[in-house]
Amino acid sequence: MILRTLCTVAGVAAALQPLPPVQWTSSNASSGGFSISEAPKTIYIASAFADHADTEGLTLIPPTASEFAETFRQDLNQLFGTKWTVETVETFPESGIFLGEFRGDASQLTYENGIETEEGYELEVTSESIFVGGTGARGLFWGTRTLLQELLIANGTALSPGRVTDAPAYATRGFMLDAGRKWYTAEFLKEFCTYASFFKMSEFHYHSSDNYPLNRGHNETWNEVYSHFSLMPDNPELKGIIERQNETLSREEFEDFQKHCAQRGVTVIPEIEAPGHCLAITKWKPELALRKKDLLNLTHPDAIPTVKAIWEEFLPWFQTKEVHIGADEYASDLADDYITFVNEMKDFVNSTSGKRIRIWGTYEPSENLTIDKDIIIQHWQYGQSDPVQLQNDGYELINSQDWWAYMSLKNDHTPILPAPYPQFYNITRTMNFANIPGWQWDPRLFNQVNITEQLEPSASGNRGAILAAWSDSGPDATTQLEAYYAMRDGIPVVAARGWSGARGLNISAADLPATISFLTPKAPGQNLDRKLPDSQNPTLSSPLISVSRQLSDPSNLTLGQGSYGPPYTLTLTATSPFTLTGPDTSLSVENATSNSTTTQTLVFKTADNWPYPLRSTAETDGHDPGHPGRIWTNLTSSSHEHVPITFPAKIRIETDVVNGSRVWVDNEFKGRFEVFVFGGRNTLFSWSHMALVAPVDGAQGGLESLVLEAGTGGAGEPGDGTAVPLRQSTSGAEGRVGVGGLAWGVSTVVLGAVAVLL
């Protein structure tokens, strides 16, 4: 379910709600509320609490309350456009925003299983002040998230006097990203973490190693199948696990990523996968492989020492009390070997670093051995583990039941049963658990078939839940931002239900579409939607950018606007080949060869250098609601041949996250930018469409004009925009470094919502 498409039916009268929802107790005061525009622009933090850092969370680098206050200050600056300061005080003044320690009985704020939490907070609003108090530093930070959302929803009006006392039902409220089959940069990871923290997510599960499934695709040559290890070891003896050094994180980058997340209340949980999904290891040391080459032969004398050597290298990197060793989908006929490995790794990790380990629930039918009870089991599918049995047997567990938690980016696993994995997070399954209307999922709910077989809300072993996005179709099947699009609406919904549990407030289903559309682009500290300043404002005119170039103008031009994300319409006129550049993508006219014929066609390239040429498709193909944005190869109406471009040409690109980037040339539909993926268990083949952001930073070559408009991704004609000529600047002060390091300067273009300095 893609919730954003429902926003138009929600109507303008929908009431917005914070996510997670909160229960306000209104004040009896007759005075007006608190106005942030009239308040002193200083955040006052109590000196007695400023240096407090939590001890019960999972991070080993817990921020102090004062550090969280600094993050809050930065967010206020961004969202409300005023320069705020932070001041530590012994006594609060009469008015302002105050941060401090929870003023009630902190023992009354517990998780749903009764354990006290440092994540609880109070938020009190009076006409003169706002007080946010935390049972811990994280609780203080989560209180500021509620405050920011309420201030945004108020849209400049005063907050009514009242009070909230709140605490999460579960400690683990997480999201997982498969970085073992798709490369994600450190900057993207930090930005994604920032986004999730706005909705009180507490964990970022980083799946660092994996390989393309050996039961899919043309895998006759197993050592050529895509595999990846995303962390760069310092030890030269371990460099054999790395195939692409430019797609790895150094220790410095990974520790910076962890610190960035911790500063926003999120702990990074790193995973290194073994003894399955191990092609990065077995390509390096083929003698360690079983017949299925991505499984380690655990009886080989070098197998477990190799895994330990890898962990010994990276354990000092990981600033967390718990790590994930993977351990899923091994061979059930080797159960004793598997259990011995898992228990030995538990002892090794703990003795080496003091950390606990997590594993995926995996079927291991042994009559002799059992998994150690100190190991945390992340349940993902029935037949692999049973949550009720795990609870009864005394294990701690995490709910990642695939029916509600999983998505497979660009590949919905058709026709694999018991359930296809959607390409976008399926919010319907969270809002209507087990397909029962109105039964909102929470982390105690696992079984969507036998609905009586669930855990109790107070189950001692239930840590919480993690949703998961898998890059099963490989590194080129999605862009970094498409992974965000797939999870964007699911993260606030899952975070809300993980926070509320069975005891807290449900999400207002009627108001959810409008709330999601309003809050997600406003999460501070990130711009994953890649919008221009103020382009979210519906009152601003269109087009967002409109420029034209005279023949006498230089061929290299700067737009200086970075990237613009879907939905949008980009209309170009060109007299010869050209290139548009941006930080996420480029768009150029390049040579392409098909059936021994070389033609010029449009090619999008992402920052990690994957090319997506324009291919011929029928306009009606790819609209199967069960498989959004995909065309099966048995549809003869689409040839998928490269589309030749001849000049002069008028090119229109319409992009939305479901249908990808579609192209009209001289007002005739031509096709899409696509990638070929293997579907199902190598039984269905399909083309998936890329939703590529518009590169609007620089231009060179034969581009004559460019018009960028915000849109809905429909096939209609874009609005007319008046293009303003570009003129070469005579002022050196206006020059800036652009494409290829060249410096150019041109006059200001002011059109629609954006003043573009060229």
Side-chain angles (χ1 to χ4, degrees), residues 585-599:
T585 60
S586 66
L587 175 65
S588 59
V589 178
E590 299 182 9
N591 290 334
T593 301
S594 181
N595 295 327
S596 301
T597 301
T598 299
T599 60

Side-chain angles (χ1 to χ4, degrees), residues 1 219 309 313 360 363 433 514 571 757:
M1 174 184 178
N219 296 325
E313 170 78 359
W360 296 100
Y363 180 55
F433 182 72
T571 304
L757 296 178

Side-chain angles (χ1 to χ4, degrees), residues 145-355:
R145 303 306 88 184
T146 298
L147 174 57
L148 289 176
Q149 291 190 30
E150 292 284 12
L151 289 170
L152 286 168
I153 290 170
N155 195 28
T157 62
L159 294 183
S160 299
R163 190 172 188 273
V164 170
T165 302
D166 200 11
Y170 295 89
T172 295
R173 309 176 303 279
F175 64 109
M176 190 221 78
L177 185 62
D178 177 3
R181 285 173 283 205
K182 167 67 187 176
W183 165 240
Y184 297 94
T185 66
E187 288 307 310
F188 172 81
L189 295 171
K190 291 191 292 185
E191 204 170 357
F192 205 5
C193 196
T194 297
Y195 172 79
S197 77
F198 189 54
F199 303 100
K200 305 190 179 84
M201 278 290 192
S202 63
E203 295 181 12
F204 189 162
H205 178 170
Y206 182 74
H207 184 83
S208 73
S209 62
D210 213 315
N211 52 267
Y212 194 82
L214 284 174
N215 57 0
R216 279 187 230 137
H218 298 297
N219 296 325
E220 293 88 352
T221 309
W222 65 271
N223 61 353
E224 295 179 3
V225 172
Y226 182 88
S227 63
H228 188 54
F229 196 97
S230 62
L231 304 176
M232 173 58 75
D234 294 324
N235 184 349
E237 295 181 2
L238 296 176
K239 295 295 175 69
I241 59 177
I242 304 299
E243 288 191 0
R244 292 165 298 280
Q245 292 193 24
N246 63 326
E247 295 184 357
T248 58
L249 299 178
S250 67
R251 178 171 184 172
E252 181 181 11
E253 288 173 317
F254 194 79
E255 291 194 344
D256 178 62
F257 163 44
Q258 294 175 98
K259 181 178 180 181
H260 176 91
C261 291
Q263 294 291 323
R264 289 187 172 271
V266 180
T267 301
V268 175
I269 305 295
E271 176 185 357
I272 298 175
E273 180 75 78
H277 300 261
C278 271
L279 209 56
I281 297 176
T282 58
K283 283 183 186 178
W284 171 37
K285 296 187 173 185
E287 68 276 11
L288 302 185
L290 290 173
R291 184 175 180 181
K292 188 174 183 295
K293 296 297 186 178
D294 62 348
L295 301 184
L296 285 178
N297 178 1
L298 293 172
T299 64
H300 192 287
D302 289 337
I304 295 179
T306 296
V307 176
K308 287 181 178 179
I310 294 170
W311 274 101
E312 189 172 28
E313 170 78 359
F314 292 110
L315 277 170
W317 294 29
F318 300 153
Q319 302 295 334
T320 171
K321 299 175 185 177
E322 294 175 7
V323 295
H324 204 302
I325 69 164
D328 70 320
E329 296 187 305
Y330 196 63
S332 60
D333 58 339
L334 300 175
D336 284 1
D337 295 337
Y338 169 86
I339 295 171
T340 298
F341 165 79
V342 168
N343 288 342
E344 189 171 339
M345 287 304 299
K346 185 270 297 185
D347 292 337
F348 173 78
V349 169
N350 186 260
S351 63
T352 303
S353 65
K355 304 180 192 299

Side-chain angles (χ1 to χ4, degrees), residues 52 72 105 113 160 180 186 258 260 264 383 406 479 568 645 668 710 723:
H52 177 85
F72 177 47
D105 182 357
N113 60 12
S160 299
Q258 294 175 98
H260 176 91
R264 289 187 172 271
Y406 272 28
T479 68
Y568 66 82
I645 300 294
E668 180 182 353

Side-chain angles (χ1 to χ4, degrees), residues 697-758:
D697 213 43
Q700 52 190 155
L703 190 68
E704 193 173 68
S705 68
L706 176 153
V707 178
L708 175 69
E709 299 168 284
T712 60
E717 289 286 340
D720 293 329
T722 304
V724 174
L726 303 180
R727 301 184 303 278
Q728 187 169 2
S729 173
T730 58
S731 169
E734 292 182 69
R736 62 176 72 176
V737 176
V739 179
L742 299 175
W744 12 251
V746 287
S747 61
T748 302
V749 175
V750 182
L751 280 177
V754 178
V756 187
L757 296 178
L758 299 171

Side-chain angles (χ1 to χ4, degrees), residues 28-86:
N28 293 324
S30 59
S31 59
F34 181 90
S35 172
I36 192 169
S37 62
E38 299 175 4
K41 300 307 180 285
T42 299
I43 302 163
Y44 300 97
I45 183 168
S47 58
F49 196 63
D51 292 333
H52 177 85
D54 292 351
T55 59
E56 301 303 316
L58 292 181
T59 183
L60 294 174
I61 46 174
T64 64
S66 182
E67 289 175 290
F68 279 130
E70 171 58 23
T71 302
F72 177 47
R73 183 195 67 79
Q74 295 171 14
D75 294 342
L76 281 173
N77 283 351
Q78 179 190 333
L79 293 176
F80 301 103
T82 306
K83 187 175 181 180
W84 288 74
T85 60
V86 176

